[in-house]
Amino acid sequence: MESAKVYFTSRLTPDAVVDAFKALSLELPGKVAVKVHSGEVGNQNFIRPAFLKPAIDQVQGTVVECNTAYEGERDTTEKHWHTMELHGWTGLCPVDILDEDGQLALPVPGGRQIQVNYVGSHLANYDSLLVLSHFKGHPMGGFGGALKNISIGLASAYGKAYIHGAGKPEEIWTAEHDLFLEAMADAAKSITDRFAGRIGFVNIMRNMSVDCDCCAVAEDPKLADIGILASLDPVALDQACLDLVYASADPGKADLIRRIESLNGVHTVEAAAALGVGSRSYELLRLD
């Protein structure tokens, strides 16, 4: 697969998110879903709605999320709507909880661990997808970026358990770890297949805790903020973010690298590349 283009700016402003997206020269037709992370109640690190609003407005999009498969303030639709209101999403943007009315099964041709991906049923109402991801660590995946945001992030509550269990939802927390990572890559493929040519990705490298935005109690970030990256290729985008973490001169990177390596986080990128979701080879193009 040819090298992908990944655009990078060190500016960390709402306008820079828009500029990174514009660099893709991507037209998103029809009704546009914008995947974000709503943030678990108590989490201090998630990207706030005001920071993302200009990009959401740029595509006239609707913020989309799905319920969680674990206890918290987003594990039911009622609680998730309350969290969306509490965190200010509903006051700034149209919002849709995708699995509020059930789920939709998407095929995963060639999937290594799963052959079907269960997403929120409302995803069928959208023609295009903009994926705004907060790049950071993760207590299960090692890190979370674009690939996690379109796999676990777009999965219904049941679908999340299905991916975590590598096709066996009853093994949500006990499945062999690398199989879970491969299932995430499988799920990501179903999304890039569905929205082929109508999907763009932006990763925001700030507030990079070792913990995810899904953690109500998360560690404070130690690694200094890096910037914003955008690509049409989620594999290249996540790989570029990983490379920037390793290349950082900030000694605070040690904890995040330890989290990523302890959970073999790069394997999700490896598995997605093997499936043809994207390329790990990329050209980094600076916007400033």
Side-chain angles (χ1 to χ4, degrees):
M1 186 173 288
E2 294 182 2
S3 295
K5 289 182 170 61
V6 178
Y7 298 91
F8 170 74
T9 175
S10 59
R11 292 184 297 123
L12 278 159
T13 65
D15 287 344
V17 182
V18 175
D19 291 343
F21 168 71
K22 285 182 176 179
L24 301 178
S25 299
L26 175 67
E27 294 292 332
L28 294 178
K31 190 174 181 180
V32 181
V34 182
K35 180 63 179 73
V36 302
H37 196 301
S38 50
E40 183 59 40
V41 175
N43 185 279
Q44 74 274 34
N45 299 318
F46 73 95
I47 307 297
R48 300 310 198 262
F51 192 87
L52 300 179
K53 179 175 169 54
I56 297 164
D57 289 346
Q58 176 69 29
V59 298
Q60 298 181 345
T62 297
V63 164
V64 301
E65 260 283 32
C66 281
N67 295 321
T68 63
Y70 51 85
E71 291 185 5
E73 295 305 311
R74 297 176 299 132
D75 63 340
T76 69
T77 298
E78 182 180 8
K79 286 197 287 184
H80 205 161
W81 273 116
H82 177 72
T83 296
M84 283 292 198
E85 182 178 1
L86 178 69
H87 285 170
W89 294 103
T90 56
L92 288 181
C93 314
V95 174
D96 189 355
I97 306 298
L98 294 178
D99 58 338
E100 183 171 16
D101 298 311
Q103 60 193 18
L104 170 71
L106 299 182
V108 187
R112 295 173 67 174
Q113 300 303 327
I114 60 174
Q115 284 69 53
V116 63
N117 179 33
Y118 298 98
V119 300
S121 64
H122 291 184
L123 192 65
N125 299 330
Y126 296 91
D127 305 293
S128 302
L129 181 61
L130 175 59
V131 185
L132 303 179
S133 304
H134 179 201
F135 185 89
K136 69 283 181 192
H138 194 277
M140 287 290 290
F143 79 93
L147 291 169
K148 178 186 175 293
N149 206 7
I150 59 171
S151 55
I152 292 290
L154 285 172
S156 65
Y158 173 82
K160 287 177 170 62
Y162 192 81
I163 294 169
H164 270 282
K168 300 177 181 177
E170 67 276 11
E171 296 183 12
I172 178 173
W173 307 126
T174 58
E176 184 179 333
H177 187 70
D178 279 3
L179 302 189
F180 152 59
L181 300 179
E182 291 171 8
M184 275 207 295
D186 291 342
K189 185 178 191 308
S190 75
I191 299 300
T192 56
D193 283 353
R194 183 175 184 87
F195 291 100
R198 296 169 286 116
I199 183 170
F201 303 88
V202 178
N203 278 6
I204 300 166
M205 300 186 74
R206 69 180 297 189
N207 298 348
M208 289 177 285
S209 169
V210 299
D211 290 322
C212 180
D213 300 338
C214 55
C215 300
V217 180
E219 285 196 26
D220 289 332
K222 294 181 180 177
L223 173 62
D225 296 343
I226 291 177
I228 297 171
L229 295 87
S231 183
L232 299 177
D233 183 330
V235 176
L237 184 58
D238 280 356
Q239 183 66 61
C241 289
L242 289 171
D243 291 344
L244 285 172
V245 169
Y246 278 87
S248 171
D250 188 335
K253 69 184 182 181
D255 281 1
L256 181 54
I257 290 174
R258 190 177 302 114
R259 171 60 58 86
I260 293 167
E261 293 183 347
S262 69
L263 294 166
N264 197 22
V266 72
H267 190 53
T268 306
V269 178
E270 294 170 341
L275 280 171
V277 174
S279 171
R280 297 180 70 190
S281 176
Y282 62 91
E283 179 184 6
L284 192 65
L285 302 170
R286 296 195 65 103
L287 299 176
D288 52 13

